[in-house]
Short mmCIF file of all heavy atoms in Angstrom, two decimals:
data_model
loop_
_atom_site.label_atom_id
_atom_site.label_comp_id
_atom_site.label_asym_id
_atom_site.label_seq_id
_atom_site.Cartn_x
_atom_site.Cartn_y
_atom_site.Cartn_z
N MET A 1 0.84 -1.21 0.00
CA MET A 1 0.00 -0.03 -0.01
C MET A 1 0.87 1.25 -0.01
O MET A 1 1.77 1.35 0.82
CB MET A 1 -0.90 0.00 1.24
CG MET A 1 -2.36 0.24 0.89
SD MET A 1 -3.35 0.52 2.32
CE MET A 1 -3.17 -1.06 3.15
N ASN A 2 0.60 2.15 -0.90
CA ASN A 2 1.43 3.35 -0.97
C ASN A 2 0.59 4.54 -0.54
O ASN A 2 -0.03 5.21 -1.30
CB ASN A 2 1.91 3.55 -2.41
CG ASN A 2 3.08 4.52 -2.47
OD1 ASN A 2 3.53 4.97 -1.43
ND2 ASN A 2 3.54 4.80 -3.65
N ILE A 3 0.62 4.76 0.77
CA ILE A 3 -0.21 5.85 1.36
C ILE A 3 0.55 7.14 1.41
O ILE A 3 0.05 8.20 1.09
CB ILE A 3 -0.69 5.42 2.75
CG1 ILE A 3 -1.73 4.29 2.60
CG2 ILE A 3 -1.28 6.59 3.51
CD1 ILE A 3 -2.13 3.66 3.91
N LYS A 4 1.83 7.05 1.80
CA LYS A 4 2.59 8.27 2.16
C LYS A 4 2.79 9.25 1.00
O LYS A 4 2.93 10.42 1.21
CB LYS A 4 3.95 7.83 2.71
CG LYS A 4 3.86 7.48 4.20
CD LYS A 4 5.01 6.62 4.61
CE LYS A 4 4.55 5.49 5.52
NZ LYS A 4 5.53 4.42 5.59
N SER A 5 2.82 8.72 -0.22
CA SER A 5 3.07 9.61 -1.34
C SER A 5 1.82 10.42 -1.72
O SER A 5 1.90 11.38 -2.48
CB SER A 5 3.56 8.82 -2.55
OG SER A 5 2.52 7.94 -2.96
N ASP A 6 0.70 9.99 -1.21
CA ASP A 6 -0.58 10.63 -1.55
C ASP A 6 -0.79 11.84 -0.64
O ASP A 6 -0.86 11.72 0.56
CB ASP A 6 -1.71 9.61 -1.38
CG ASP A 6 -2.96 10.05 -2.08
OD1 ASP A 6 -3.06 11.24 -2.43
OD2 ASP A 6 -3.85 9.23 -2.26
N LYS A 7 -0.96 13.01 -1.24
CA LYS A 7 -1.09 14.24 -0.46
C LYS A 7 -2.53 14.48 0.04
O LYS A 7 -2.78 15.35 0.82
CB LYS A 7 -0.61 15.46 -1.27
CG LYS A 7 0.87 15.42 -1.61
CD LYS A 7 1.71 15.93 -0.45
CE LYS A 7 3.17 15.49 -0.58
NZ LYS A 7 3.93 16.14 -1.63
N VAL A 8 -3.45 13.67 -0.51
CA VAL A 8 -4.83 13.77 -0.10
C VAL A 8 -5.05 12.84 1.09
O VAL A 8 -4.47 11.78 1.13
CB VAL A 8 -5.77 13.40 -1.25
CG1 VAL A 8 -7.22 13.31 -0.83
CG2 VAL A 8 -5.62 14.43 -2.38
N CYS A 9 -5.86 13.29 2.04
CA CYS A 9 -6.18 12.47 3.22
C CYS A 9 -6.64 11.07 2.76
O CYS A 9 -7.59 10.95 2.01
CB CYS A 9 -7.26 13.15 4.03
SG CYS A 9 -8.00 12.08 5.29
N TYR A 10 -5.94 10.05 3.26
CA TYR A 10 -6.19 8.68 2.80
C TYR A 10 -7.64 8.26 3.10
O TYR A 10 -8.29 7.65 2.27
CB TYR A 10 -5.21 7.74 3.49
CG TYR A 10 -5.52 6.28 3.26
CD1 TYR A 10 -5.18 5.68 2.03
CD2 TYR A 10 -6.17 5.53 4.20
CE1 TYR A 10 -5.48 4.37 1.80
CE2 TYR A 10 -6.47 4.19 3.97
CZ TYR A 10 -6.13 3.61 2.79
OH TYR A 10 -6.43 2.31 2.54
N PHE A 11 -8.13 8.58 4.24
CA PHE A 11 -9.46 8.11 4.68
C PHE A 11 -10.57 8.87 3.92
O PHE A 11 -11.60 8.29 3.59
CB PHE A 11 -9.63 8.23 6.17
CG PHE A 11 -8.72 7.32 6.93
CD1 PHE A 11 -7.56 7.85 7.55
CD2 PHE A 11 -8.92 5.96 6.98
CE1 PHE A 11 -6.70 7.01 8.24
CE2 PHE A 11 -8.06 5.10 7.65
CZ PHE A 11 -6.93 5.63 8.27
N CYS A 12 -10.34 10.13 3.62
CA CYS A 12 -11.27 10.86 2.79
C CYS A 12 -11.29 10.31 1.38
O CYS A 12 -12.34 10.12 0.79
CB CYS A 12 -10.90 12.38 2.74
SG CYS A 12 -11.31 13.28 4.22
N ALA A 13 -10.09 10.02 0.85
CA ALA A 13 -9.97 9.50 -0.50
C ALA A 13 -10.67 8.13 -0.61
O ALA A 13 -11.26 7.81 -1.65
CB ALA A 13 -8.49 9.36 -0.87
N GLN A 14 -10.59 7.35 0.45
CA GLN A 14 -11.21 6.00 0.45
C GLN A 14 -12.64 6.08 0.91
O GLN A 14 -13.33 5.06 1.00
CB GLN A 14 -10.41 5.08 1.37
CG GLN A 14 -8.99 4.88 0.97
CD GLN A 14 -8.84 4.08 -0.29
OE1 GLN A 14 -9.42 3.00 -0.42
NE2 GLN A 14 -8.09 4.58 -1.28
N ASN A 15 -13.09 7.28 1.28
CA ASN A 15 -14.47 7.46 1.79
C ASN A 15 -14.72 6.63 3.05
O ASN A 15 -15.82 6.07 3.20
CB ASN A 15 -15.51 7.16 0.70
CG ASN A 15 -16.81 7.91 0.94
OD1 ASN A 15 -16.85 8.88 1.68
ND2 ASN A 15 -17.88 7.42 0.36
N ILE A 16 -13.72 6.55 3.90
CA ILE A 16 -13.84 5.83 5.16
C ILE A 16 -14.23 6.83 6.25
O ILE A 16 -13.49 7.77 6.48
CB ILE A 16 -12.53 5.11 5.54
CG1 ILE A 16 -12.19 4.06 4.46
CG2 ILE A 16 -12.64 4.47 6.90
CD1 ILE A 16 -10.81 3.47 4.61
N LYS A 17 -15.36 6.65 6.86
CA LYS A 17 -15.81 7.59 7.88
C LYS A 17 -15.40 7.12 9.28
O LYS A 17 -14.95 7.93 10.08
CB LYS A 17 -17.33 7.76 7.80
CG LYS A 17 -17.76 8.49 6.54
CD LYS A 17 -19.20 8.97 6.59
CE LYS A 17 -19.60 9.66 5.33
NZ LYS A 17 -19.95 8.69 4.25
N GLU A 18 -15.52 5.86 9.52
CA GLU A 18 -15.12 5.32 10.81
C GLU A 18 -13.88 4.46 10.59
O GLU A 18 -13.90 3.51 9.79
CB GLU A 18 -16.23 4.46 11.42
CG GLU A 18 -17.51 5.23 11.74
CD GLU A 18 -17.30 6.31 12.80
OE1 GLU A 18 -16.51 6.05 13.76
OE2 GLU A 18 -17.92 7.38 12.69
N ILE A 19 -12.80 4.79 11.32
CA ILE A 19 -11.58 4.00 11.19
C ILE A 19 -11.66 2.77 12.08
O ILE A 19 -11.95 2.89 13.27
CB ILE A 19 -10.34 4.85 11.57
CG1 ILE A 19 -10.25 6.05 10.63
CG2 ILE A 19 -9.08 4.02 11.47
CD1 ILE A 19 -9.25 7.10 11.04
N ASP A 20 -11.49 1.60 11.50
CA ASP A 20 -11.63 0.36 12.25
C ASP A 20 -10.35 0.07 13.03
O ASP A 20 -9.27 -0.13 12.43
CB ASP A 20 -11.91 -0.77 11.27
CG ASP A 20 -12.22 -2.09 11.95
OD1 ASP A 20 -12.29 -2.09 13.20
OD2 ASP A 20 -12.42 -3.09 11.25
N TYR A 21 -10.43 0.08 14.33
CA TYR A 21 -9.22 -0.13 15.13
C TYR A 21 -8.72 -1.58 15.04
O TYR A 21 -7.58 -1.87 15.38
CB TYR A 21 -9.48 0.25 16.62
CG TYR A 21 -10.40 -0.70 17.33
CD1 TYR A 21 -9.89 -1.82 18.01
CD2 TYR A 21 -11.78 -0.48 17.39
CE1 TYR A 21 -10.77 -2.72 18.66
CE2 TYR A 21 -12.63 -1.34 18.03
CZ TYR A 21 -12.10 -2.46 18.67
OH TYR A 21 -12.94 -3.33 19.34
N LYS A 22 -9.58 -2.48 14.56
CA LYS A 22 -9.17 -3.88 14.40
C LYS A 22 -8.32 -4.10 13.14
O LYS A 22 -7.70 -5.15 13.01
CB LYS A 22 -10.43 -4.78 14.34
CG LYS A 22 -11.21 -4.80 15.64
CD LYS A 22 -12.31 -5.85 15.64
CE LYS A 22 -13.69 -5.39 15.29
NZ LYS A 22 -13.99 -4.03 14.97
N ASP A 23 -8.32 -3.08 12.28
CA ASP A 23 -7.54 -3.20 11.04
C ASP A 23 -6.10 -2.77 11.31
O ASP A 23 -5.64 -1.71 10.91
CB ASP A 23 -8.16 -2.33 9.96
CG ASP A 23 -7.64 -2.70 8.55
OD1 ASP A 23 -6.67 -3.46 8.49
OD2 ASP A 23 -8.20 -2.21 7.58
N ALA A 24 -5.37 -3.65 12.01
CA ALA A 24 -4.01 -3.33 12.46
C ALA A 24 -3.08 -3.13 11.25
O ALA A 24 -2.16 -2.27 11.32
CB ALA A 24 -3.47 -4.42 13.35
N GLU A 25 -3.31 -3.84 10.19
CA GLU A 25 -2.48 -3.72 9.00
C GLU A 25 -2.52 -2.29 8.43
O GLU A 25 -1.51 -1.70 8.05
CB GLU A 25 -2.91 -4.70 7.90
CG GLU A 25 -2.50 -6.13 8.19
CD GLU A 25 -0.97 -6.28 8.29
OE1 GLU A 25 -0.27 -5.89 7.37
OE2 GLU A 25 -0.53 -6.82 9.32
N LEU A 26 -3.71 -1.71 8.44
CA LEU A 26 -3.90 -0.34 7.97
C LEU A 26 -3.30 0.63 8.95
O LEU A 26 -2.56 1.57 8.53
CB LEU A 26 -5.40 -0.08 7.78
CG LEU A 26 -5.78 1.35 7.36
CD1 LEU A 26 -5.27 1.67 5.97
CD2 LEU A 26 -7.28 1.52 7.43
N LEU A 27 -3.58 0.46 10.21
CA LEU A 27 -3.09 1.40 11.25
C LEU A 27 -1.55 1.44 11.27
O LEU A 27 -0.98 2.47 11.53
CB LEU A 27 -3.63 1.02 12.62
CG LEU A 27 -5.15 1.11 12.77
CD1 LEU A 27 -5.55 0.67 14.18
CD2 LEU A 27 -5.68 2.50 12.50
N ARG A 28 -0.98 0.27 10.99
CA ARG A 28 0.49 0.15 10.99
C ARG A 28 1.15 1.13 10.03
O ARG A 28 2.29 1.54 10.22
CB ARG A 28 0.87 -1.29 10.63
CG ARG A 28 1.94 -1.90 11.49
CD ARG A 28 2.20 -3.32 11.07
NE ARG A 28 1.21 -4.21 11.63
CZ ARG A 28 1.40 -4.85 12.81
NH1 ARG A 28 2.49 -4.66 13.48
NH2 ARG A 28 0.48 -5.65 13.29
N ASN A 29 0.42 1.51 8.96
CA ASN A 29 0.95 2.45 8.00
C ASN A 29 1.07 3.87 8.60
O ASN A 29 1.75 4.72 8.03
CB ASN A 29 0.03 2.52 6.77
CG ASN A 29 0.12 1.28 5.95
OD1 ASN A 29 1.18 0.94 5.39
ND2 ASN A 29 -0.97 0.54 5.83
N PHE A 30 0.39 4.10 9.69
CA PHE A 30 0.36 5.44 10.27
C PHE A 30 1.10 5.53 11.61
O PHE A 30 0.97 6.50 12.32
CB PHE A 30 -1.09 5.89 10.47
CG PHE A 30 -1.80 6.05 9.12
CD1 PHE A 30 -2.66 5.08 8.68
CD2 PHE A 30 -1.58 7.17 8.36
CE1 PHE A 30 -3.31 5.20 7.46
CE2 PHE A 30 -2.23 7.31 7.13
CZ PHE A 30 -3.07 6.34 6.68
N ILE A 31 1.90 4.52 11.90
CA ILE A 31 2.78 4.62 13.06
C ILE A 31 4.22 4.54 12.61
O ILE A 31 4.55 3.83 11.66
CB ILE A 31 2.46 3.57 14.18
CG1 ILE A 31 2.61 2.13 13.66
CG2 ILE A 31 1.09 3.83 14.77
CD1 ILE A 31 2.48 1.10 14.75
N SER A 32 5.08 5.28 13.29
CA SER A 32 6.48 5.34 12.94
C SER A 32 7.22 4.09 13.43
O SER A 32 6.65 3.24 14.11
CB SER A 32 7.10 6.57 13.55
OG SER A 32 7.22 6.41 14.95
N ALA A 33 8.53 4.01 13.13
CA ALA A 33 9.34 2.89 13.56
C ALA A 33 9.42 2.83 15.10
O ALA A 33 9.61 1.77 15.67
CB ALA A 33 10.75 3.01 12.96
N GLN A 34 9.25 3.97 15.73
CA GLN A 34 9.26 4.03 17.20
C GLN A 34 7.87 3.78 17.76
O GLN A 34 7.62 4.08 18.94
CB GLN A 34 9.78 5.38 17.70
CG GLN A 34 11.27 5.57 17.49
CD GLN A 34 11.58 5.90 16.01
OE1 GLN A 34 10.87 6.62 15.37
NE2 GLN A 34 12.69 5.37 15.53
N ALA A 35 6.97 3.29 16.92
CA ALA A 35 5.60 2.97 17.33
C ALA A 35 4.81 4.21 17.75
O ALA A 35 3.87 4.11 18.53
CB ALA A 35 5.57 1.92 18.42
N LYS A 36 5.19 5.35 17.22
CA LYS A 36 4.46 6.58 17.53
C LYS A 36 3.47 6.90 16.40
O LYS A 36 3.70 6.52 15.25
CB LYS A 36 5.45 7.74 17.66
CG LYS A 36 6.23 7.72 18.93
CD LYS A 36 7.08 8.95 19.08
CE LYS A 36 7.81 8.95 20.40
NZ LYS A 36 8.88 9.96 20.44
N ILE A 37 2.44 7.57 16.78
CA ILE A 37 1.43 8.01 15.77
C ILE A 37 2.08 9.08 14.91
O ILE A 37 2.69 10.02 15.41
CB ILE A 37 0.18 8.54 16.46
CG1 ILE A 37 -0.48 7.44 17.32
CG2 ILE A 37 -0.83 9.03 15.39
CD1 ILE A 37 -1.57 7.94 18.25
N MET A 38 1.99 8.90 13.59
CA MET A 38 2.57 9.87 12.68
C MET A 38 1.94 11.25 12.83
O MET A 38 0.75 11.38 12.93
CB MET A 38 2.38 9.38 11.23
CG MET A 38 3.30 8.29 10.89
SD MET A 38 3.82 8.50 9.19
CE MET A 38 4.43 6.83 8.91
N PRO A 39 2.79 12.29 12.80
CA PRO A 39 2.24 13.64 12.79
C PRO A 39 1.55 13.93 11.46
O PRO A 39 1.82 13.26 10.47
CB PRO A 39 3.49 14.52 12.97
CG PRO A 39 4.61 13.71 12.46
CD PRO A 39 4.26 12.28 12.73
N ARG A 40 0.69 14.93 11.44
CA ARG A 40 -0.06 15.21 10.21
C ARG A 40 0.83 15.55 9.03
O ARG A 40 0.47 15.27 7.90
CB ARG A 40 -1.05 16.35 10.49
CG ARG A 40 -2.33 15.91 11.16
CD ARG A 40 -3.26 17.04 11.42
NE ARG A 40 -3.72 17.61 10.16
CZ ARG A 40 -4.27 18.82 10.05
NH1 ARG A 40 -4.44 19.56 11.11
NH2 ARG A 40 -4.68 19.28 8.91
N LYS A 41 1.95 16.12 9.31
CA LYS A 41 2.92 16.43 8.25
C LYS A 41 3.32 15.19 7.46
O LYS A 41 3.56 15.20 6.25
CB LYS A 41 4.19 17.01 8.88
CG LYS A 41 4.35 18.50 8.66
CD LYS A 41 5.72 18.96 9.14
CE LYS A 41 5.61 19.71 10.43
NZ LYS A 41 6.89 20.04 11.00
N ARG A 42 3.38 14.04 8.17
CA ARG A 42 3.78 12.78 7.56
C ARG A 42 2.62 11.95 7.07
O ARG A 42 2.72 11.23 6.11
CB ARG A 42 4.63 11.96 8.53
CG ARG A 42 5.91 12.62 8.99
CD ARG A 42 7.06 12.32 8.08
NE ARG A 42 7.23 10.89 7.90
CZ ARG A 42 7.81 10.05 8.75
NH1 ARG A 42 8.26 10.54 9.88
NH2 ARG A 42 7.93 8.81 8.51
N SER A 43 1.52 12.04 7.80
CA SER A 43 0.36 11.16 7.48
C SER A 43 -0.53 11.79 6.40
O SER A 43 -1.25 11.07 5.74
CB SER A 43 -0.43 10.86 8.74
OG SER A 43 -1.00 12.09 9.26
N TYR A 44 -0.45 13.12 6.26
CA TYR A 44 -1.28 13.84 5.31
C TYR A 44 -2.78 13.64 5.54
O TYR A 44 -3.57 13.66 4.60
CB TYR A 44 -0.97 13.47 3.84
CG TYR A 44 0.46 13.79 3.46
CD1 TYR A 44 1.38 12.81 3.15
CD2 TYR A 44 0.90 15.12 3.44
CE1 TYR A 44 2.70 13.10 2.80
CE2 TYR A 44 2.20 15.43 3.11
CZ TYR A 44 3.09 14.42 2.78
OH TYR A 44 4.34 14.73 2.46
N LEU A 45 -3.17 13.46 6.76
CA LEU A 45 -4.58 13.29 7.06
C LEU A 45 -5.20 14.65 7.38
O LEU A 45 -4.54 15.55 7.84
CB LEU A 45 -4.77 12.32 8.24
CG LEU A 45 -4.34 10.88 8.04
CD1 LEU A 45 -4.65 10.08 9.27
CD2 LEU A 45 -4.98 10.30 6.82
N CYS A 46 -6.51 14.75 7.19
CA CYS A 46 -7.19 15.91 7.61
C CYS A 46 -7.38 15.90 9.12
O CYS A 46 -7.19 14.84 9.71
CB CYS A 46 -8.55 16.05 6.88
SG CYS A 46 -9.70 14.75 7.32
N ALA A 47 -7.74 17.00 9.72
CA ALA A 47 -7.79 17.10 11.17
C ALA A 47 -8.76 16.06 11.78
O ALA A 47 -8.45 15.45 12.78
CB ALA A 47 -8.23 18.52 11.57
N LYS A 48 -9.90 15.92 11.11
CA LYS A 48 -10.90 14.97 11.59
C LYS A 48 -10.39 13.54 11.63
O LYS A 48 -10.49 12.86 12.64
CB LYS A 48 -12.14 15.06 10.70
CG LYS A 48 -13.33 14.29 11.21
CD LYS A 48 -14.50 14.40 10.26
CE LYS A 48 -14.40 13.38 9.14
NZ LYS A 48 -15.58 13.38 8.23
N HIS A 49 -9.76 13.13 10.52
CA HIS A 49 -9.30 11.76 10.44
C HIS A 49 -8.05 11.52 11.29
O HIS A 49 -7.85 10.42 11.79
CB HIS A 49 -9.07 11.38 8.97
CG HIS A 49 -10.36 10.98 8.29
ND1 HIS A 49 -10.79 11.65 7.17
CD2 HIS A 49 -11.29 10.06 8.58
CE1 HIS A 49 -11.95 11.11 6.81
NE2 HIS A 49 -12.27 10.15 7.65
N GLN A 50 -7.20 12.56 11.42
CA GLN A 50 -6.05 12.42 12.28
C GLN A 50 -6.48 12.12 13.71
O GLN A 50 -5.91 11.29 14.40
CB GLN A 50 -5.21 13.69 12.23
CG GLN A 50 -3.97 13.68 13.14
CD GLN A 50 -2.86 12.78 12.62
OE1 GLN A 50 -2.71 12.61 11.43
NE2 GLN A 50 -2.07 12.26 13.55
N ARG A 51 -7.54 12.82 14.13
CA ARG A 51 -8.09 12.63 15.47
C ARG A 51 -8.70 11.23 15.63
O ARG A 51 -8.45 10.54 16.60
CB ARG A 51 -9.15 13.70 15.76
CG ARG A 51 -9.39 13.99 17.22
CD ARG A 51 -10.19 15.25 17.41
NE ARG A 51 -11.48 15.20 16.75
CZ ARG A 51 -11.89 16.06 15.84
NH1 ARG A 51 -11.12 17.10 15.52
NH2 ARG A 51 -13.05 15.94 15.26
N HIS A 52 -9.45 10.82 14.60
CA HIS A 52 -10.04 9.48 14.64
C HIS A 52 -8.98 8.41 14.61
O HIS A 52 -9.08 7.37 15.27
CB HIS A 52 -10.98 9.31 13.46
CG HIS A 52 -12.30 10.01 13.62
ND1 HIS A 52 -13.46 9.60 13.00
CD2 HIS A 52 -12.64 11.08 14.37
CE1 HIS A 52 -14.44 10.40 13.33
NE2 HIS A 52 -13.94 11.33 14.14
N LEU A 53 -7.92 8.67 13.83
CA LEU A 53 -6.83 7.70 13.74
C LEU A 53 -6.16 7.54 15.11
O LEU A 53 -5.89 6.40 15.51
CB LEU A 53 -5.81 8.17 12.71
CG LEU A 53 -4.54 7.33 12.60
CD1 LEU A 53 -4.83 6.04 11.83
CD2 LEU A 53 -3.42 8.08 11.92
N ALA A 54 -5.90 8.64 15.80
CA ALA A 54 -5.24 8.59 17.10
C ALA A 54 -6.06 7.76 18.07
O ALA A 54 -5.55 6.94 18.82
CB ALA A 54 -5.05 10.00 17.64
N THR A 55 -7.39 7.93 18.03
CA THR A 55 -8.29 7.18 18.89
C THR A 55 -8.21 5.68 18.54
O THR A 55 -8.12 4.85 19.41
CB THR A 55 -9.74 7.70 18.73
OG1 THR A 55 -9.72 9.10 18.92
CG2 THR A 55 -10.64 7.04 19.74
N ALA A 56 -8.25 5.40 17.23
CA ALA A 56 -8.23 4.01 16.78
C ALA A 56 -6.92 3.34 17.16
O ALA A 56 -6.93 2.18 17.60
CB ALA A 56 -8.41 3.96 15.25
N ILE A 57 -5.80 4.06 17.05
CA ILE A 57 -4.51 3.47 17.40
C ILE A 57 -4.41 3.19 18.89
O ILE A 57 -3.96 2.15 19.32
CB ILE A 57 -3.35 4.38 16.93
CG1 ILE A 57 -3.25 4.31 15.39
CG2 ILE A 57 -2.03 3.99 17.54
CD1 ILE A 57 -2.22 5.25 14.80
N LYS A 58 -4.92 4.15 19.71
CA LYS A 58 -4.90 3.97 21.14
C LYS A 58 -5.74 2.75 21.54
O LYS A 58 -5.37 2.00 22.40
CB LYS A 58 -5.41 5.22 21.85
CG LYS A 58 -4.33 6.30 21.96
CD LYS A 58 -4.90 7.63 22.35
CE LYS A 58 -3.87 8.72 22.06
NZ LYS A 58 -4.44 10.04 22.08
N ARG A 59 -6.88 2.60 20.87
CA ARG A 59 -7.77 1.45 21.13
C ARG A 59 -7.08 0.15 20.71
O ARG A 59 -7.15 -0.85 21.42
CB ARG A 59 -9.06 1.68 20.34
CG ARG A 59 -10.26 0.99 20.98
CD ARG A 59 -11.56 1.47 20.30
NE ARG A 59 -11.93 2.82 20.68
CZ ARG A 59 -12.92 3.52 20.13
NH1 ARG A 59 -13.60 3.01 19.12
NH2 ARG A 59 -13.19 4.71 20.55
N ALA A 60 -6.44 0.21 19.55
CA ALA A 60 -5.75 -0.97 19.03
C ALA A 60 -4.60 -1.38 19.96
O ALA A 60 -4.35 -2.56 20.18
CB ALA A 60 -5.21 -0.68 17.63
N ARG A 61 -3.90 -0.37 20.53
CA ARG A 61 -2.83 -0.69 21.48
C ARG A 61 -3.42 -1.36 22.73
O ARG A 61 -2.85 -2.32 23.23
CB ARG A 61 -2.14 0.60 21.93
CG ARG A 61 -1.16 1.12 20.91
CD ARG A 61 -0.69 2.48 21.33
NE ARG A 61 0.32 3.01 20.40
CZ ARG A 61 0.73 4.27 20.40
NH1 ARG A 61 0.18 5.11 21.25
NH2 ARG A 61 1.62 4.67 19.56
N PHE A 62 -4.53 -0.86 23.20
CA PHE A 62 -5.17 -1.41 24.41
C PHE A 62 -5.57 -2.84 24.13
O PHE A 62 -5.48 -3.69 25.03
CB PHE A 62 -6.36 -0.54 24.78
CG PHE A 62 -7.04 -1.01 26.04
CD1 PHE A 62 -6.44 -0.80 27.29
CD2 PHE A 62 -8.27 -1.63 25.99
CE1 PHE A 62 -7.04 -1.23 28.43
CE2 PHE A 62 -8.88 -2.08 27.15
CZ PHE A 62 -8.26 -1.87 28.37
N MET A 63 -6.00 -3.13 22.91
CA MET A 63 -6.42 -4.50 22.54
C MET A 63 -5.21 -5.34 22.11
O MET A 63 -5.43 -6.46 21.62
CB MET A 63 -7.41 -4.44 21.36
CG MET A 63 -8.64 -3.59 21.61
SD MET A 63 -9.70 -4.22 22.93
CE MET A 63 -10.67 -5.37 21.99
N ALA A 64 -4.01 -4.80 22.29
CA ALA A 64 -2.77 -5.52 21.99
C ALA A 64 -2.62 -5.84 20.49
O ALA A 64 -1.93 -6.81 20.13
CB ALA A 64 -2.64 -6.77 22.82
N LEU A 65 -3.24 -5.03 19.64
CA LEU A 65 -3.10 -5.22 18.20
C LEU A 65 -1.89 -4.45 17.67
O LEU A 65 -1.30 -4.81 16.65
CB LEU A 65 -4.37 -4.76 17.46
CG LEU A 65 -5.63 -5.51 17.77
CD1 LEU A 65 -6.84 -4.84 17.16
CD2 LEU A 65 -5.56 -6.96 17.32
N LEU A 66 -1.52 -3.39 18.41
CA LEU A 66 -0.37 -2.59 18.04
C LEU A 66 0.52 -2.40 19.29
O LEU A 66 0.00 -2.42 20.41
CB LEU A 66 -0.79 -1.20 17.55
CG LEU A 66 -1.46 -1.12 16.18
CD1 LEU A 66 -1.94 0.30 15.93
CD2 LEU A 66 -0.54 -1.56 15.05
N PRO A 67 1.81 -2.22 19.09
CA PRO A 67 2.69 -2.04 20.25
C PRO A 67 2.62 -0.61 20.79
O PRO A 67 2.29 0.33 20.08
CB PRO A 67 4.10 -2.30 19.65
CG PRO A 67 3.95 -1.91 18.22
CD PRO A 67 2.51 -2.25 17.83
N PHE A 68 2.88 -0.49 22.09
CA PHE A 68 2.95 0.85 22.72
C PHE A 68 4.29 1.49 22.37
O PHE A 68 4.38 2.68 22.14
CB PHE A 68 2.81 0.74 24.23
CG PHE A 68 1.40 0.57 24.68
CD1 PHE A 68 0.87 -0.66 24.94
CD2 PHE A 68 0.59 1.70 24.84
CE1 PHE A 68 -0.44 -0.82 25.32
CE2 PHE A 68 -0.72 1.55 25.26
CZ PHE A 68 -1.26 0.31 25.50
N THR A 69 5.37 0.67 22.38
CA THR A 69 6.69 1.14 22.04
C THR A 69 7.31 0.10 21.10
O THR A 69 6.78 -0.98 20.89
CB THR A 69 7.59 1.26 23.29
OG1 THR A 69 7.69 -0.02 23.92
CG2 THR A 69 7.04 2.27 24.29
N SER A 70 8.47 0.46 20.54
CA SER A 70 9.12 -0.44 19.60
C SER A 70 9.92 -1.51 20.33
O SER A 70 10.30 -2.48 19.73
CB SER A 70 10.05 0.36 18.66
OG SER A 70 10.96 1.11 19.42
N ARG A 71 10.17 -1.32 21.61
CA ARG A 71 10.96 -2.30 22.36
C ARG A 71 10.06 -3.34 23.06
O ARG A 71 9.00 -3.01 23.51
CB ARG A 71 11.81 -1.59 23.45
CG ARG A 71 12.88 -0.81 22.77
CD ARG A 71 13.74 -0.11 23.81
NE ARG A 71 14.36 1.09 23.18
CZ ARG A 71 15.22 1.86 23.85
NH1 ARG A 71 15.57 1.60 25.08
NH2 ARG A 71 15.74 2.90 23.23
ZN1 ZN B 101 -9.96 12.94 6.01
#
């Protein structure tokens, strides 16, 4: 999946309104090597989706689908 080169918000482009926290494969594209949530500069998401993404990632971490840290 080539998300980063796209300057348009990925979720708007895909017409995704609710980000599924269970879709770890997708969320993984928006976390850095240090397991941090990508800043908007890197993720190119709109404010609404960046906020939803952060919530989804936090939920995914709680459900042990994503790591809290890289170690
Ligand atoms: Zn968006």
Side-chain angles (χ1 to χ4, degrees):
M1 231 190 297
N2 197 3
I3 289 172
K4 278 160 222 162
S5 64
D6 197 345
K7 294 279 161 72
V8 171
C9 168
Y10 172 78
F11 296 104
C12 283
Q14 300 290 310
N15 205 21
I16 297 170
K17 291 194 181 80
E18 297 295 324
I19 300 169
D20 188 3
Y21 71 89
K22 293 188 264 1
D23 196 349
E25 285 300 306
L26 175 67
L27 296 179
R28 225 177 279 269
N29 289 297
F30 295 100
I31 60 172
S32 70
Q34 287 77 38
K36 286 184 176 166
I37 300 168
M38 282 218 198
R40 279 179 65 198
K41 253 188 254 175
R42 299 271 307 282
S43 63
Y44 298 115
L45 296 182
C46 65
K48 188 181 84 177
H49 280 121
Q50 178 73 30
R51 203 167 59 236
H52 284 206
L53 175 76
T55 308
I57 288 176
K58 279 166 195 166
R59 207 169 286 171
R61 282 171 177 167
F62 183 73
M63 304 296 274
L65 297 171
L66 289 174
F68 280 95
T69 60
S70 57
R71 291 181 205 184

